[in-house]
Structures are given as structure tokens and as C-alpha cells.
Amino acid sequence: CPVPQVVDELEERMREGGVIVDYHGCDFFPERWFHIVFVLRTDNSCLYDRLQSRGYTGKKLQDNIQCEIFQTLYEEAMLSYKKEIVHQLPSNTPEDLERNLDQIVQWVEQWMKDNN
């Protein structure tokens, strides 16, 4: 199983801090690694078009849409980490991307002020 290998590989880097992890799941990452978790959410009509334009079809397309409908990744994050560190961000448009980036940068800057 590659999951323990991923955790083992990242352990030292995570201990050093200052790491952003971008992954499509989270239930196997230790809670101690994270100060905040952002779950990007996409409206299903946007998601369908986005995935279809990337060549997703059939079961892969259906599985990704169902995952978003059932809030699978958000629920996984809520069960894996303290609820107060889990935040949903909309990810439908390029403007959302910019706002999310600004929000994350502001959070990092504030965290640095508060913890250094």
C-alpha cells in the first residue's frame, strides 16, 4: 500500500514546517501535520464541464461528480481533523482562484505573526 510510504516520505519535511500539501484526500495524513485545511468545492455544473474538457468520461467522470455531490472530501476532512481548522472555499471561476489564493496568503501571514 503506497499510503504509509507517502506518510513516511513526508514525515521529516512536515516536521520542519512551512509545507503546503495539495492532495485529493486526507484521511491518512496525521492531524499533527496541519494547522489549517482548505477543501476546494465546485458547483457540479462547473465541475462537469471542467472534467469533461480534461477528457474525463464514464466512470471517472461520474465518480468525481458523485464525490462532490456527497461532499466526500469535505466530510473526510471534518472526520480527520478538528472542525475549527477545516474550511471550504469555492472553486468555480478564475476569480475564485484569486480570492482563495489571497485568503490563504492572508491566513499564512497572520499565522506567522501569531506564532513567531
Side-chain angles (χ1 to χ4, degrees):
C1 178
V3 171
Q5 292 171 335
V6 169
V7 172
D8 290 346
E9 183 68 29
L10 290 174
E11 185 69 48
E12 189 172 327
R13 286 184 181 154
M14 296 304 291
R15 197 174 310 119
E16 294 170 9
V19 177
I20 294 174
V21 177
D22 178 6
Y23 198 78
H24 297 245
C26 64
D27 61 338
F28 61 88
F29 291 123
E31 185 175 2
R32 70 181 182 279
W33 282 6
F34 303 106
H35 297 286
I36 196 162
V37 174
F38 296 104
V39 179
L40 301 179
R41 302 296 310 272
T42 305
D43 177 82
N44 286 325
S45 59
C46 291
L47 183 60
Y48 184 88
D49 293 342
R50 185 180 297 169
L51 295 176
Q52 202 171 39
S53 73
R54 292 179 185 169
Y56 286 42
T57 59
K59 183 165 174 35
K60 187 171 184 177
L61 178 62
Q62 182 181 19
D63 288 349
N64 277 271
I65 297 295
Q66 283 182 348
C67 185
E68 188 63 25
I69 289 170
F70 295 121
Q71 303 184 63
T72 304
L73 295 178
Y74 176 67
E75 293 295 325
E76 182 180 294
M78 292 294 285
L79 291 171
S80 299
Y81 308 108
K82 294 178 203 150
K83 291 174 179 36
E84 60 268 16
I85 72 165
V86 178
H87 304 275
Q88 297 183 76
L89 298 174
S91 183
N92 298 307
T93 66
E95 293 79 20
D96 288 341
L97 173 67
E98 289 298 319
R99 269 192 304 277
N100 293 342
L101 186 56
D102 289 343
Q103 185 173 352
I104 291 168
V105 167
Q106 286 175 14
W107 183 88
V108 168
E109 289 172 350
Q110 187 62 49
W111 189 90
M112 296 287 285
K113 283 182 196 174
D114 294 345
N115 293 280
N116 284 332

